[in-house]
Amino acid sequence: MILAAMLILPCAAQRFGLVKDEGGFTNIRKGPGTNYPVVEQVQDGSFISFDTGIGSWYKVYTTYTDGTPQEMIGYIHSSKVVVPKKSKGVCKNLGFVVDEDGYTNVRKGPGTRYAIVGKVRDGSFILCSGDYDDGWYKVYTQTGVFRGYMSASRINITESPCF
């Protein structure tokens, strides 16, 4: 089963993170090691809830939008998880990119007249802060480094913690 863009939310003791965006999918395994079978796959760039596991493997949890209780689904290697850093004075929220063209441009400034500095594929999660100049968000890399601006019409803000 592939967890393409399912929002994974945390319990109180768990942490938030993003699966390192390497352009594919990352395996969730039944146990803490590559010798265990793959039980799920998550799309790189997805938002996850996790807590400590065994060694360098984190336990991954999920909840469902219908209120079904949270359950552990397996293990992910810690090298595949990015935890965005909180920044002073800037609240970064998690957004979900929606663009029927397959990607959205990241621009140097808040408008189409600014140069394209990157692209983010449809279905990716991205960190963004506050509505900026006429419907443009400031967007950040998974680690919280400022990247540029993206049209707010291409981002659905999720209910998530402030990073």
Side-chain angles (χ1 to χ4, degrees):
M1 174 185 211
I2 295 176
L3 298 174
M6 184 174 76
L7 180 60
I8 302 175
L9 299 170
C11 306
Q14 293 161 1
R15 298 169 57 194
F16 297 98
L18 294 157
V19 178
K20 192 178 282 185
D21 197 346
E22 297 174 329
F25 293 91
T26 295
N27 294 329
I28 305 288
R29 296 190 175 269
K30 186 171 185 167
T34 56
N35 55 324
Y36 289 92
V38 173
V39 293
E40 304 279 347
Q41 288 189 312
V42 291
Q43 184 174 357
D44 290 353
S46 295
F47 184 60
I48 64 169
S49 170
F50 69 97
D51 68 9
T52 56
I54 299 171
S56 58
W57 291 82
Y58 293 144
K59 292 178 183 176
V60 178
Y61 294 84
T62 187
T63 57
Y64 304 96
T65 57
D66 65 359
T68 302
Q70 188 173 44
E71 59 187 48
M72 188 182 101
I73 58 172
Y75 292 83
I76 188 170
H77 195 269
S78 61
S79 67
K80 299 297 266 175
V81 178
V82 177
V83 180
K85 294 182 178 107
K86 288 192 181 236
S87 57
K88 297 176 186 172
V90 177
C91 179
K92 296 182 201 109
N93 294 357
L94 192 66
F96 184 72
V97 177
V98 179
D99 195 311
E100 61 188 39
D101 294 331
Y103 67 90
T104 296
N105 294 324
V106 176
R107 296 186 176 270
K108 190 170 187 161
T112 56
R113 66 186 180 278
Y114 291 93
I116 296 170
V117 296
K119 296 179 185 293
V120 179
R121 73 177 178 275
D122 178 55
S124 296
F125 284 96
I126 191 162
L127 295 175
C128 55
S129 66
D131 207 358
Y132 190 83
D133 194 21
D134 292 326
W136 290 80
Y137 286 112
K138 288 183 178 181
V139 295
Y140 302 83
T141 64
Q142 287 187 341
T143 57
V145 176
F146 177 70
R147 186 165 178 201
Y149 297 82
M150 188 180 291
S151 173
S153 67
R154 303 288 193 247
I155 301 174
N156 289 340
I157 301 297
T158 64
E159 289 185 33
S160 68
C162 180
F163 293 103

